[in-house]
């Protein structure tokens, strides 16, 4: 098995440093990474990473050692990530915008050997803090196992990504090098990546989607273009970035396409990979028309992807595809028996992409990572918790979660079934079904249809207990930092504060006047007092994201959503903005 490149091939059984170094030898002068006005060639990036890797080895970093990377998406992050791998260690991305308590927990939980950050950054509890200062210079030889503290093998950890945990504490997923070349080979072929391709790195480095942006692009010898800020939201700014940077490939969650449609869409002809959540059929119909659109699926406990579809045609429910290179999949019942094609079962995956397990969580690991009864002795499979059925063409169709049931008035309900029915309605772009105060509540976006329009067809399709009690229409559904639907941010079905006009001191500075105008516009109220909290007069995270986007466009200033949460009144936010503008 090989990774086919335009002018060279890389064996698949590699560690990531060997994969990158093969490309750096083949195309040393081609751009490897770009951000704003800064571009590094493969030779330059390789040399900078080698210099930092030697510093890390001197500080005791080697195989099985974890290194925290507390920095945003940036050229420095890319250099640091590659350097950790070259030294033999595994990196733990820690978003600088995370609350301090969460960052401290991640450092403590990993027993990070050291922390890499930009100058002046630190996390309480980190044993050693090293500043990543880029060191331009001539060539620097690659490290090998004689220089490392021990041999680097494909089964050594490559990264640890934290996911939310059922106990209320995030859990770290330990992923090895072994599955990354398989992912790269598949995505190079599937997305037709070439040395002249330009792929947008939009995912936060704290999510594993970033891995699927970095390594396939580097295996192809193309250029990874970093989005300029960690909280760039889908909309006009993102659409403009794609156009200005001549992006050829982009990966986004389906929910990000709705605001992009409002902003005029993305160029035709590019390759669009959607992942992270179910892709509604109406969305696929519109976006697949003039682009290569692929639907991919995979949990964090795999090396990013488990399956990926053929290019979508826009017909029917978008499938999540077939297993990617090197992955084995099984659709099983609750007794681990294979279900017949066409019937719904739970999806299990096996092969080199299976993660090692949860860091220091042996019980949780044993619960989800099971012996593979269909593989070689000692092999394992991962229980995804997702239910699928197999189409006649061999592609899987997502059929909801195995463990995401709701209980309303004594009935157990699979939200996916109701959501699929809502998404079949004309114009509905997004739908989420949840429970609130023992009522079944549906949230829909992308349509002007009311409950009176949507419920009669549902009553014809579904049993009475599956028909929502309440339908809430939103401009678009709120999303979390990784672009997925944020269920916790959905507004209450009945909000006594929503749309309430306010009073108080009137704005009297140019910035306050502009902000009061934007607050009122986004909230749909007549006026806003400068001391009124956005979130106490009907605002929520979805509207906050929209407001921040409009502030950026009007004032041409970089404002993080988190900064707005800390200054939610006109008066407070005006001070923040005036300080930044002076």
């Amino acid at each position: 098995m090989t990774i086919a490149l335009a002018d060279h091939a890389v064996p698949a059984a590699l560690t990531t440093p060997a994969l990158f170094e093969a490309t750096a030898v083949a195309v040393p002068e081609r751009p490897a990474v770009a951000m704003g006005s800064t571009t590094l060639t493969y030779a330059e990036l390789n040399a900078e990473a080698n210099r930092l890797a030697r510093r890390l080895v001197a500080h005791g970093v080697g195989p099985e050692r974890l290194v925290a990377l507390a920095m945003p998406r940036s050229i420095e992050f890319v250099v640091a990530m590659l350097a950790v791998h070259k030294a033999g260690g595994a990196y733990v991305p820690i978003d600088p915008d995370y609350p301090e308590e969460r960052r401290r927990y991640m450092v403590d939980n990993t027993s990070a050997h050291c922390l890499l950050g930009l100058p002046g950054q630190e996390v309480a509890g980190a044993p050693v803090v090293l500043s990543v200062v880029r060191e331009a210079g001539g060539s620097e030889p690659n490290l090998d196992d004689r220089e490392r503290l021990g041999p680097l093998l494909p089964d050594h950890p490559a990264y640890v990504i934290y996911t939310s945990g059922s106990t209320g504490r995030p859990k770290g997923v330990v992923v090895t090098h072994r599955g990354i070349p398989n992912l790269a080979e598949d995505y190079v072929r599937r997305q037709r990546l070439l040395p002249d391709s330009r792929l947008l790195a939009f995912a936060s480095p704290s999510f594993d989607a970033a891995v699927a942006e970095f390594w396939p692009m580097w295996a192809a010898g193309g250029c990874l273009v970093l989005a300029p800020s960690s909280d760039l939201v889908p909309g006009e700014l993102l659409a403009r970035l794609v156009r200005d940077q001549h992006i050829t490939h982009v990966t986004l969650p389906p929910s990000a396409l709705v605001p992009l449609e409002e902003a005029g869409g993305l160029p035709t002809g590019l390759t669009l990979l959607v992942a992270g959540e179910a892709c509604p059929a109406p969305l696929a119909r519109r976006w697949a028309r003039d682009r290569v659109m692929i639907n991919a699926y995979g949990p964090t406990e795999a090396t990013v992807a488990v399956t990926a579809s053929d290019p979508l045609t826009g017909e029917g429910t978008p499938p999540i595809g077939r297993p990617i290179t090197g992955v084995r999949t099984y659709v099983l019942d609750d007794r681990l028996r294979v279900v017949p094609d066409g019937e719904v079962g739970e999806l299990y995956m096996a092969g080199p992409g299976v993660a090692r397990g949860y860091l220091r969580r042996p019980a949780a690991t044993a619960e989800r990572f099971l012996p593979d009864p269909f593989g070689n002795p000692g092999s394992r499979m991962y229980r995804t918790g997702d239910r699928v059925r197999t189409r006649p063409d061999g592609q899987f169709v997502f059929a909801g979660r195995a463990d995401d049931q709701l209980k309303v008035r004594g009935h157990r309900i699979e939200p996916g079934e109701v959501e699929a029915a809502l998404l079949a309605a004309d114009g509905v772009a997004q739908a989420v079904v949840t429970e609130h105060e023992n009522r079944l509540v549906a949230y829909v976006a992308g349509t002007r249809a009311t409950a009176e329009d949507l419920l009669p067809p549902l009553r014809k399709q579904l049993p009475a207990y599956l028909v929502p009690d309440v339908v809430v229409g939103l401009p678009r559904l709120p999303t979390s930092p990784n672009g997925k639907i944020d269920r916790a941010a959905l507004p209450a079905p009945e909000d006594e504060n929503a749309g309430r006009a306010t009073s108080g001191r009137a704005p009297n500075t140019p910035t306050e006047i502009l902000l009061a105008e934007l607050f009122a516009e986004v909230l749909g109220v007549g006026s806003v007092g400068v001391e009124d909290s956005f979130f106490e007069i009907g605002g929520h995270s979805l509207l906050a994201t929209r407001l921040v986007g409009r502030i950026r466009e009007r004032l041409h200033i970089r404002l993080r959503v988190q900064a707005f949460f800390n200054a939610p009144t006109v008066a407070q936010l005006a001070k923040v903005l005036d300080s930044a503008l002076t």
Side-chain angles (χ1 to χ4, degrees), residues 93 130 396:
L130 302 177
F396 295 133

Side-chain angles (χ1 to χ4, degrees), residues 96 99 109 292 366:
N109 185 243
V292 176

Side-chain angles (χ1 to χ4, degrees), residues 18-62:
L19 190 157
F20 183 86
E21 289 158 9
T23 304
V25 168
V27 289
E29 301 308 316
R30 293 202 64 86
V33 62
M35 185 173 188
S37 59
T38 302
T39 299
L40 295 184
T41 66
Y42 278 91
E44 290 169 337
L45 176 55
N46 195 50
E48 289 203 24
N50 284 338
R51 280 189 281 273
L52 180 56
R54 287 188 165 87
R55 288 178 57 200
L56 293 174
V57 171
H59 279 278
V61 174

